[in-house]
Amino acid sequence: VQLQASGGGVVQPGGSLKLSCAVSGFDLDLGVGWFRQTPGKGREGISAIISTDDNTFYADSVKGRFTISRDKANNMVFLQMNDMKPEDTAVYYCATDVRVVADLIISFGSWGQGTQVTVSS
C-alpha cells in the first residue's frame, strides 16, 4: 500500500485549500481518511470516508468547514478545506483502513508522507 499526499501550502485565514491523496494497493471502500499533527501534539483524525455508501465522518474541529471525497476510478482521496483558521496549521496525512471507534477516527493501515498546511496572514 502506498499513499502520496499533495496540495499543502500557505493560505490566509478564511481561505480555502484542497488536499489530494493518491492511493495504490488498497480498496478505498474499506475506509480512508485524513489526519493532522502539530508539534508537541498527537496525530488527530479529522475526516474519514468509509464503505460503498460514501459514509463520511468529521471531527468537531473541522465539521462544517472540511469535506472529504474520493474518486474510486482513479484511487484518489480529497480534502476540501474552507474557512480555514490558524489552528488548522499542521502536517496533514492520508491513511488507509480507517474506522470510527468511540467517535474517534483511527487508522489501522498505512500512512502517506504528509503535506504541510499553514494558515497565516
Side-chain angles (χ1 to χ4, degrees):
V1 179
Q2 292 186 323
L3 302 95
Q4 181 75 36
S6 61
V10 179
V11 61
Q12 293 185 342
S16 299
L17 207 59
K18 186 173 184 178
L19 304 182
S20 301
C21 179
V23 183
S24 61
F26 184 79
D27 182 353
L28 297 189
D29 283 336
L30 298 177
V32 290
W34 288 94
F35 297 74
R36 66 187 182 187
Q37 187 169 20
T38 55
K41 293 183 67 176
R43 198 166 290 186
E44 175 191 19
I46 57 171
S47 185
I49 185 165
I50 301 171
S51 89
T52 56
D53 296 327
D54 284 347
N55 292 328
T56 57
F57 303 87
Y58 299 94
D60 288 343
S61 58
V62 305
K63 197 173 294 181
R65 301 186 297 120
F66 291 11
T67 303
I68 189 171
S69 61
R70 63 187 176 187
D71 176 354
K72 290 191 279 186
N74 292 297
N75 289 327
M76 296 289 296
V77 185
F78 306 99
L79 186 69
Q80 176 67 47
M81 304 184 290
N82 298 328
D83 189 23
M84 298 188 70
K85 304 175 181 180
E87 51 264 42
D88 293 323
T89 296
V91 178
Y92 284 70
Y93 301 85
C94 51
T96 62
D97 199 5
V98 173
R99 309 173 201 177
V100 179
V101 181
D103 291 331
L104 294 177
I105 296 170
I106 300 173
S107 171
F108 294 86
S110 303
W111 297 82
Q113 85 291 354
T115 185
Q116 176 70 48
V117 172
T118 302
V119 184
S120 174
S121 56

